[in-house]
Amino acid sequence: MYRLYSHNDLDGVGCGIVAKLAFGDEIDIRYNSVSGLDFQIERFLETENVTDTLFITDLSVNESNEKRLSEFAKKGGKVKLIDHHKTALHLNNHDWGAVQVEYSDGRLASATSLFYEYLEQHSLIQRSPSVDQFVEWVRQYDTWEWDKNGNMNAKRLNDLFFMISIDEFEERMVTRLKNNQDTFFFDEFEQKILAMEEDKIERYVRRKRRELVQTFIEDQCAGIVHAESYHSELGNELGKENIHLDYIAIINVGGKKVSLRTIHDHIDVSEIANRFGGGGHAKAAGCSLTEEAYKLYVAKPFTIEPLRTDAFRNKYNVKTSDQGVLYVGIGEELLFIYPVSDGQWSIDMNHNTMEQQFQSFEEAERFIKRNYSAWLVRDERYVSFLSDIVMRERDTSSSTQFLPEQLATKENKNHPSVSH
């Protein structure tokens, strides 16, 4: 008899589907949360059943069960743990551990892809184009490569996974992959409900966008939002819209969970999650909402006002404009970014020029967004701001104490603010 203990997300259930194709009714599958696996392992090891083959996929065991599994293997027990999280790499010290984060060609591995290849190498499963395609969609979604590759089908597969029960999803996929060897597809019913789901996700993200707060946790700038659903979609969209944030923390107080997402290559959220007893990938990880995590991500930021979004229909106050760009900080600071003659960018705050200069507009914007939670204002306020500068210049007859050289030397007719 074969036994599989796997994670209860798409990648973990993908391992179960591949196992069903390989072993049929000869395998017993249990899907677990991260914290639930060790309990299942303890129960299995109590039986000391050396005749069963145990597979563990997409999850790793604690130190106590690591020792127990080694003792079980020494007694002749058959066990194989297949994972792709770097926090589990130490399990490769055992013959029963097979942890691989990425392939030699640079692709990130998933548990489903690694398990599929393991079964094929041991002649336990026969490959087919449809299973290859299914496994690749699971891999791309779990490693977030679908976003880089524009593979919306991989995302839709995960959407479908969360729309129906695990049992129904598993049954649908196994039946389809058995009956269709050439290609994997969504049936008509699935296409309809997926279209409805995409609309629902878009509305949900739009609503949660208005609830995002920003704070520094240690030396990293984090965006925090409370949400029970669509964590990956939220993390991706909020990260793209707020690239000055190092990562997005999605809090589920009811479930006592924290999901961490980043779009940046230099940030590893699995290291942050590991601090609170969790783990995951460099760009997607999670942990329990421990007492320490609660203080940092819930209690301390509770009074912070949500971030304001940048104005998006402007004609004049647009990013990188050589006329200067106006932002307002969360404390009502007026922050004006403008280019200077040597190709660098300067910032005036409340009509006073900061000493620090920046090599690019993006660098200057990142600075004010991280330190002042600033947002791009609408054209109306921009025009009013510039008109006020012109009036100040007329009253003082001074040169350019806080007015960028480009604005001071241009004729009034070249700027919309002085046409009034």
Side-chain angles (χ1 to χ4, degrees):
M1 186 71 178
Y2 296 95
R3 298 184 184 275
L4 172 66
Y5 296 158
S6 193
H7 198 191
N8 56 4
D9 67 353
L10 176 64
D11 192 26
V13 176
C15 293
I17 291 167
V18 169
K20 283 280 189 180
L21 295 172
F23 305 114
D25 295 333
E26 295 181 16
I27 188 163
D28 176 55
I29 301 175
R30 306 287 175 89
Y31 297 117
N32 302 272
S33 64
V34 174
S35 59
L37 172 69
D38 286 305
F39 175 73
Q40 291 281 359
I41 297 297
E42 289 171 6
R43 289 185 60 184
F44 172 81
L45 293 176
E46 285 174 359
T47 65
E48 295 190 345
N49 189 347
V50 295
T51 61
D52 287 353
T53 298
L54 174 63
F55 292 111
I56 304 167
T57 55
D58 203 33
L59 290 170
S60 59
V61 294
N62 61 23
E63 186 175 350
S64 174
N65 279 331
E66 179 182 351
K67 294 177 181 178
R68 291 181 178 182
L69 285 174
S70 292
E71 293 171 0
F72 175 72
K74 288 178 181 178
K75 294 177 182 178
K78 291 170 282 187
V79 58
K80 197 69 178 180
L81 184 148
I82 297 175
D83 195 13
H84 63 128
H85 300 100
K86 73 175 188 177
T87 51
L89 284 170
H90 63 282
L91 297 177
N92 284 333
N93 295 328
H94 307 286
D95 291 338
W96 48 265
V99 182
Q100 183 176 344
V101 177
E102 64 178 64
Y103 294 104
S104 58
D105 58 6
R107 290 178 303 123
L108 294 174
S110 74
T112 301
S113 64
L114 293 172
F115 189 43
Y116 183 43
E117 290 162 6
Y118 173 87
L119 294 174
E120 184 202 10
Q121 291 166 5
H122 290 80
S123 302
L124 296 170
I125 194 172
Q126 185 174 355
R127 298 184 72 114
S128 74
S130 61
V131 180
D132 288 348
Q133 190 175 355
F134 170 79
V135 169
E136 177 61 10
W137 287 5
V138 172
R139 186 196 70 81
Q140 286 198 30
Y141 183 81
D142 198 66
T143 61
W144 213 248
E145 286 184 17
W146 73 267
D147 187 50
K148 179 176 65 176
N149 300 333
N151 185 356
M152 289 303 298
N153 281 326
K155 180 186 178 301
R156 292 187 183 105
L157 185 64
N158 187 70
D159 290 345
L160 180 64
F161 171 76
F162 279 102
M163 293 176 71
I164 58 180
S165 69
I166 287 180
D167 290 342
E168 183 180 355
F169 182 82
E170 181 186 76
E171 183 180 355
R172 278 177 170 270
M173 298 303 106
V174 170
T175 301
R176 187 165 308 163
L177 292 168
K178 281 182 177 179
N179 296 336
N180 299 276
Q181 299 290 310
D182 295 332
T183 186
F184 181 77
F185 61 90
F186 297 116
D187 64 25
E188 185 177 353
F189 168 75
E190 291 165 353
Q191 291 179 36
K192 288 181 179 179
I193 63 172
L194 283 169
M196 295 171 61
E197 183 72 357
E198 287 169 4
D199 291 339
K200 183 179 177 183
I201 292 172
E202 184 178 347
R203 292 193 301 271
Y204 189 81
V205 172
R206 188 163 57 243
R207 176 161 59 89
K208 289 298 176 180
R209 185 183 289 125
R210 299 192 293 267
E211 301 174 9
L212 181 70
V213 301
Q214 169 183 317
T215 189
F216 275 88
I217 296 178
E218 296 183 337
D219 60 345
Q220 293 177 318
C221 191
I224 301 172
V225 66
H226 289 253
E228 295 181 354
S229 308
Y230 309 122
H231 289 183
S232 292
E233 290 81 1
L234 269 176
N236 190 46
E237 291 301 318
L238 295 178
K240 286 180 177 179
E241 293 171 5
N242 301 276
I243 59 174
H244 67 285
L245 297 174
D246 292 320
Y247 65 93
I248 306 295
I250 304 164
I251 313 300
N252 182 349
V253 175
K256 294 183 172 58
K257 299 291 184 182
V258 181
S259 295
L260 304 173
R261 300 289 187 272
T262 185
I263 62 168
H264 302 294
D265 293 334
H266 68 282
I267 301 294
D268 187 344
V269 292
S270 70
E271 295 179 355
I272 301 170
N274 189 50
R275 172 182 169 183
F276 306 105
H281 306 294
K283 294 189 176 183
C287 61
S288 297
L289 188 60
T290 63
E291 184 176 351
E292 182 186 5
Y294 178 85
K295 291 178 181 178
L296 291 172
Y297 291 99
V298 180
K300 186 177 178 181
F302 183 76
T303 59
I304 299 175
E305 290 293 320
L307 286 177
R308 294 276 297 275
T309 57
D310 289 337
F312 60 92
R313 293 180 178 174
N314 287 350
K315 292 183 179 179
Y316 306 118
N317 191 33
V318 293
K319 298 184 180 185
T320 72
S321 170
D322 61 5
Q323 304 298 314
V325 190
L326 180 64
Y327 293 77
V328 171
I330 198 167
E332 289 301 313
E333 303 91 347
L334 290 175
L335 298 151
F336 190 64
I337 304 176
Y338 59 92
V340 291
S341 57
D342 59 357
Q344 294 186 320
W345 292 74
S346 287
I347 299 173
D348 284 352
M349 184 172 74
N350 297 332
H351 303 298
N352 294 304
T353 302
M354 292 184 180
E355 293 184 6
Q356 183 178 358
Q357 291 192 335
F358 302 88
Q359 298 297 318
S360 67
F361 170 83
E362 291 76 16
E363 185 181 333
E365 183 191 43
R366 182 174 185 270
F367 176 84
I368 64 170
K369 281 185 172 287
R370 287 170 71 90
N371 291 282
Y372 300 97
S373 300
W375 64 91
L376 183 75
V377 301
R378 293 182 178 179
D379 278 341
E380 292 84 354
R381 189 161 188 180
Y382 176 67
V383 169
S384 176
F385 173 81
L386 294 181
S387 296
D388 183 55
I389 288 181
V390 172
M391 294 305 297
R392 287 170 181 262
E393 287 296 299
R394 288 176 180 173
D395 292 341
T396 61
S397 299
S398 61
S399 57
T400 57
Q401 180 180 0
F402 50 77
L403 178 63
E405 183 178 351
Q406 290 87 337
L407 288 177
T409 58
K410 281 184 176 291
E411 293 183 2
N412 290 351
K413 65 179 181 179
N414 290 333
H415 202 285
S417 65
V418 293
S419 61
H420 303 285

